[in-house]
Amino acid sequence: METLKFKTNIKCGGCINAVTPHLNNLSGVDKWEVDTQNPDKVLTVESGTGLESQKVIDTLKDAGYTAETL
């Protein structure tokens, strides 16, 4: 299992609702969560298939959000 972490601009429950279908449909994502209490709004993604960080970043960009690898 690989864990990827990203700094994002996902700030609230509404933002999480907006990205949910995008992240849930991304191949290779087993589990994900956003810590909106953290100042960096950290997205943690778990993958068992060697998911590339850039795919997550691109998926969030398509959803209208930004992410950078931590």
Side-chain angles (χ1 to χ4, degrees):
M1 184 71 60
E2 179 180 12
T3 302
L4 305 172
K5 291 190 179 273
F6 304 88
K7 178 180 178 180
T8 72
N9 65 339
I10 299 171
K11 301 176 203 164
C12 64
C15 298
I16 291 171
N17 288 340
V19 300
T20 293
H22 297 273
L23 290 172
N24 285 350
N25 291 326
L26 183 58
S27 179
V29 173
D30 294 331
K31 178 182 169 187
W32 64 272
E33 65 182 5
V34 180
D35 181 358
T36 57
Q37 299 303 310
N38 185 305
D40 288 335
K41 312 302 182 202
V42 175
L43 167 65
T44 303
V45 177
E46 292 183 9
S47 172
T49 61
L51 179 66
E52 294 180 21
S53 296
Q54 192 60 47
K55 284 191 174 188
V56 175
I57 292 168
D58 291 344
T59 297
L60 287 178
K61 183 177 179 182
D62 290 344
Y65 294 88
T66 61
E68 60 184 71
T69 309
L70 286 177

